[in-house]
Amino acid sequence: MAQISLTFPDGNKRSFDAGVTPAEVAASIAPSLAKAAISAQVNGQHWDLQWPILSDATVSINTMKDDGPALELIRHDCAHIMARAVQEIWPDVKVTIGPVRDYGWFYDFDRAEPFTPEDLGQIEARMKQIINARDPVRTEVWDRARARKYYEDQGEPYKIELLDRIPADQDIRMYWHGNWQDLCRGPHFQHTGQVPADAFKLTHVAGAYWLGDSSRPMLQRIYGLAFKNREDLKAHMHMLEEAAKRDHRKLGREMGLFHMQEEAPGQVFWHPNGWTIYTTLQDYMRRRQRADGYVEVNTPQVVNRKLWEASGHWENYRENMFIVEVDEEGAKDKVINALKPMNCPCHVQIFNQGIKSYRDLPLRIAEFGSCARYEPSGALHGIMRVRGFTQDDAHIFCTLDQVEAESQKFIEFLARIYADLGFDKWRIKLSTRPEKRVGSEEMWDRMEAAMANAVTAAGHAYEIFPGEGAFYAPKLEFVLTDAIGRDWQCGTLQLDPNLPERLDAAYIGEDGARHRPFMLHRAVLGSFERFIGILIENHAGKLPFWLAPRQVVVASIVSDADPFVEEVTAALVAAGVRAEADLRNEKINYKVREHSVGKVPAILAVGMKEVEERTVSVRRLGETRTETMSLEAAVAEFGRLALPPDMG
């Protein structure tokens, strides 16, 4: 039998018969490893222990200590075990697909009756029985005709359609969990008992069209969560409970920030309190950008299709663009425009006005650009996922030699802003050259080195995401971790030699010849709408004092104190504090409770004792104790707290 050479993580090589499985490889190393093995990595691919290895390869054996592979198998096997449980309880249900997703999985079913919460409990109980049975998992490769006949006999039309979608050059892999079968690429565990029985939870049911096509049948999608142990599941469930409390849509109502309505889907109606946050944040960003050498511009929102064709967006992004057709006077055909989905082509137009010299570079052009992108209605989510938004967008025009320094400068700029906004935990992802790309290998080497060196010079680490860059250049992505551990990708830095070429941007070099600039597309917040939603949820509505829309409420305890309440309020306003008086004929406890729900950082209670002593009784948000302060001390302290970080 032919021999193959397998290379192990320590660099050692061993010969095996071609067709050896990872399970056999693990057994040849040590009985303990064979017992602990759950899967393998073969040439970097996740590999089932039952799959044969036919040629020379690098191999490593995975155990439950390897989080990535272990969680993938747990969640993938849970999807199959759930589908088996559903069909064992309700044999007439048709199964479709059940992929792994963040923290869990889902599986789509065709069932006449809707699943109820009680049904989910019944399914969970049956899943635990299947897990405890430790049924073997096996896999075979079948020819297409045999698989089709099998699913025809089983009455599974969705599996037949999935079978027809598998490319002709790919194997048809069949998996059995006990006696229950599914069409699947794998890999999977070796028996159902390897799934932790106390570390999964079915969460909810939602509707989903078959293959995402609204013209196809509506299915029922059951979602589940799964982890390596019960403690991790409990921690995640607690995070979900905390996330529900922090939901920006709920807090937005309580704080009177914004609303959405069906007449303007995916667009925000900002109320005075919400617009105060928006403009305060925008003013802060404007000052930061100006201090960092940016010039601010403003470009049209409606732009003729000719520019979008030249930039490449018409061909590659049209489905996400809002088209505007206009009957221009005297024109034979309608003029076709589009609401801009991004600002970059317009910024190149500004760069192209007049002659630019190498002495003008780097040129940093910023815009709070209002953009519009079509998002399916089902994808819209409060102010986090919208159709109309404003970016804190900027483009840096520079030479290739300037890319590293400009990238470092931007990373340091971004770090200051995130710290000011209360985000201390964030990481950087470096996305490198994809398989399909343009440009020489030498150019890619230079571009990737420039961005990697910039991150290091700025004092940060980075994680490489191979092949995830744009087809023309690498990029950096900045991922925030919020107060309850969720990740949010907000900032970006995309190197781009492509758009200047397409739109004929040029500068005059030191040699007197025309040269193409490089562009750095950059954003810190991403969009104001989404970032404000993240801010609200990160701080649970208790925004930093300088960002809070209502910073201080001065509330009267008795009506005789009203004149002093108005004096205190006026003094605070004069000191730059967003303060308001509450003179309503309500009990002070009612006022405190109402303003606490509205997340007002400080409530100053004023009764006759305070009037006589010219003091205020201060109650801060989240605290039960009160503090007595003189009027002068209160005005000084809250005036100081009201200053934005760049002005304090």
Side-chain angles (χ1 to χ4, degrees):
M1 180 174 289
Q3 295 285 294
I4 59 173
S5 176
L6 301 185
T7 303
F8 296 97
D10 61 3
N12 287 331
K13 295 184 179 182
R14 289 179 56 188
S15 294
F16 293 86
D17 290 337
V20 67
T21 66
E24 293 167 337
V25 172
S28 75
I29 297 172
S32 59
L33 181 60
K35 184 177 181 180
I38 58 171
S39 63
Q41 302 298 130
V42 178
N43 291 333
Q45 294 185 335
H46 200 185
W47 207 264
D48 195 296
L49 289 179
Q50 300 177 49
W51 295 352
I53 305 172
L54 302 175
S55 59
D56 294 352
T58 59
V59 176
S60 61
I61 304 299
N62 297 319
T63 69
M64 290 297 279
K65 294 180 180 179
D66 298 297
D67 284 350
L71 287 170
E72 180 184 341
L73 293 180
I74 289 168
R75 291 160 182 168
H76 200 172
D77 279 56
C78 275
H80 282 217
I81 291 169
M82 182 181 76
R84 171 181 165 181
V86 167
Q87 286 200 310
E88 287 182 352
I89 299 169
W90 299 283
D92 59 327
V93 172
K94 305 300 180 188
V95 293
T96 63
I97 52 176
V100 172
R101 61 193 295 270
D102 289 346
Y103 309 114
W105 78 93
F106 67 76
Y107 207 112
D108 291 345
F109 299 96
D110 188 351
R111 183 187 182 215
E113 297 296 321
F115 289 108
T116 65
E118 292 74 23
D119 290 338
L120 296 189
Q122 188 177 357
I123 296 167
E124 278 188 5
R126 183 65 185 130
M127 289 175 68
K128 291 178 180 178
Q129 292 174 0
I130 295 169
I131 290 168
N132 292 332
R134 300 174 65 86
D135 286 338
V137 176
R138 61 187 178 89
T139 179
E140 296 178 3
V141 175
W142 285 12
D143 64 64
R144 201 171 294 264
R146 182 184 178 191
R148 171 178 282 275
K149 177 70 165 55
Y150 177 85
Y151 288 123
E152 287 174 350
D153 293 345
Q154 295 294 315
E156 294 286 5
Y158 298 101
K159 292 298 180 185
I160 294 172
E161 186 170 347
L162 289 174
L163 182 67
D164 291 339
R165 288 173 172 266
I166 297 175
D169 61 345
Q170 290 188 15
D171 289 338
I172 306 300
R173 187 166 289 282
M174 312 288 275
Y175 268 93
W176 284 263
H177 288 65
N179 293 323
W180 185 86
Q181 192 280 332
D182 205 355
L183 175 69
C184 184
R185 288 178 299 204
H188 283 282
F189 281 128
Q190 302 306 290
H191 62 80
T192 60
Q194 289 177 291
V195 174
D198 60 351
F200 74 90
K201 177 70 177 175
L202 303 187
T203 58
H204 63 288
V205 182
Y209 290 111
W210 171 232
L211 299 177
D213 185 344
S214 60
S215 67
R216 307 298 299 277
M218 173 65 79
L219 306 174
Q220 295 186 68
R221 176 171 293 176
I222 299 180
Y223 287 90
L225 298 169
F227 294 86
K228 288 175 61 176
N229 53 61
R230 183 182 180 185
E231 290 70 28
D232 288 350
L233 175 64
K234 288 178 65 176
H236 187 78
M237 295 297 293
H238 176 73
M239 185 273 287
L240 293 179
E241 292 171 3
E242 188 64 27
K245 296 175 186 176
R246 294 167 179 256
D247 190 317
H248 73 280
R249 296 166 297 181
K250 169 180 173 289
L251 291 171
R253 289 190 297 272
E254 293 174 354
M255 297 171 68
L257 304 182
F258 60 84
H259 82 275
M260 321 287 283
Q261 63 187 64
E262 62 181 16
E263 288 82 0
Q267 298 178 85
V268 187
F269 290 80
W270 289 104
H271 297 195
N273 289 341
W275 194 243
T276 297
I277 299 173
Y278 192 110
T279 55
T280 301
L281 184 60
Q282 189 177 79
D283 290 344
Y284 162 79
M285 288 298 299
R286 177 173 282 120
R287 291 191 303 271
R288 281 292 196 197
Q289 289 181 163
R290 187 180 298 124
D292 215 51
Y294 289 84
V295 292
E296 186 175 336
V297 301
N298 188 265
T299 59
Q301 289 182 260
V302 181
V303 180
N304 190 280
R305 67 177 286 177
K306 292 178 181 178
L307 180 59
W308 304 117
E309 288 173 340
S311 69
H313 291 97
W314 191 261
E315 177 183 359
N316 298 309
Y317 207 77
R318 184 179 175 184
E319 63 186 30
N320 297 105
M321 298 170 71
F322 286 97
I323 309 302
V324 180
E325 294 185 351
V326 180
D327 286 315
E328 292 279 10
E329 184 177 353
K332 293 181 179 179
D333 300 311
K334 288 185 177 181
V335 176
I336 299 178
N337 303 300
L339 298 180
K340 66 176 178 182
M342 64 272 298
N343 304 298
C344 33
C346 293
H347 287 190
V348 178
Q349 305 313 300
I350 290 178
F351 181 88
N352 285 347
Q353 294 297 302
I355 298 174
K356 298 296 186 296
S357 162
Y358 69 93
R359 295 188 181 89
D360 298 317
L361 304 183
L363 176 59
R364 307 179 191 101
I365 296 178
E367 178 177 10
F368 299 122
S370 296
C371 299
R373 297 180 189 172
Y374 174 74
E375 296 278 1
S377 58
L380 301 177
H381 178 70
I383 63 174
M384 296 269 206
R385 190 79 176 265
V386 291
R387 291 176 176 173
F389 58 94
T390 299
Q391 295 176 308
D392 70 312
D393 203 8
H395 296 90
I396 302 168
F397 294 85
C398 61
T399 68
L400 180 57
D401 290 339
Q402 293 170 330
V403 165
E404 183 174 328
E406 286 301 305
S407 298
Q408 178 185 344
K409 182 178 176 65
F410 171 69
I411 295 166
E412 293 166 348
F413 173 76
L414 172 142
R416 289 194 298 272
I417 291 170
Y418 284 176
D420 285 348
L421 296 173
F423 294 101
D424 298 321
K425 295 181 180 179
W426 50 276
R427 66 184 191 277
I428 301 175
K429 296 162 56 175
L430 171 57
S431 298
T432 58
R433 67 194 78 182
E435 184 177 340
K436 294 182 179 180
R437 57 184 180 269
V438 296
S440 68
E441 294 305 292
E442 179 185 4
M443 178 60 75
W444 275 94
D445 289 343
R446 288 189 65 187
M447 293 190 296
E448 290 175 354
M451 302 202 87
N453 292 342
V455 177
T456 302
H460 299 277
Y462 58 88
E463 183 180 0
I464 294 178
F465 281 69
E468 296 296 317
F471 72 91
Y472 48 79
K475 65 178 176 180
L476 298 177
E477 294 180 323
F478 302 85
V479 183
L480 297 173
T481 300
D482 71 9
I484 57 174
R486 296 174 300 179
D487 286 342
W488 304 94
Q489 192 273 306
C490 296
T492 57
L493 183 66
Q494 172 71 63
L495 181 56
D496 185 1
N498 180 62
L499 194 61
E501 179 72 31
R502 294 187 67 110
L503 298 181
D504 196 28
Y507 67 92
I508 305 302
E510 197 169 359
D511 58 0
R514 295 176 84 248
H515 297 271
R516 294 285 182 222
F518 278 71
M519 282 180 73
L520 284 164
H521 306 251
R522 52 112 292 194
V524 178
L525 310 183
S527 80
F528 281 90
E529 288 74 10
R530 180 170 177 266
F531 200 88
I532 288 172
I534 294 169
L535 273 172
I536 292 167
E537 296 196 359
N538 179 68
H539 294 287
K542 302 173 185 176
L543 295 170
F545 192 91
W546 68 277
L547 260 181
R550 303 165 64 218
Q551 294 171 329
V552 176
V553 168
V554 187
S556 60
I557 298 174
V558 293
S559 58
D560 287 347
D562 288 357
F564 187 57
V565 167
E566 291 177 332
E567 180 185 344
V568 172
T569 304
L572 288 166
V573 170
V577 180
R578 289 189 285 274
E580 58 190 65
D582 185 347
L583 305 177
R584 294 175 300 167
N585 186 24
E586 300 284 358
K587 292 183 178 180
I588 189 63
N589 287 343
Y590 175 87
K591 295 179 181 181
V592 168
R593 185 166 58 251
E594 182 182 85
H595 296 309
S596 295
V597 170
K599 301 297 186 289
V600 177
I603 302 169
L604 312 188
V606 175
M608 292 313 298
K609 180 174 181 292
E610 286 78 16
V611 171
E612 293 167 4
E613 298 176 353
R614 294 188 63 77
T615 61
V616 291
S617 182
V618 180
R619 184 165 184 159
R620 301 176 195 270
L621 184 61
E623 297 182 2
T624 55
R625 67 180 184 87
T626 59
E627 173 188 5
T628 300
M629 299 178 70
S630 68
L631 171 58
E632 293 75 16
V635 170
E637 176 171 344
F638 292 119
R640 176 181 56 81
L641 291 174
L643 285 174
D646 62 311
M647 300 175 69

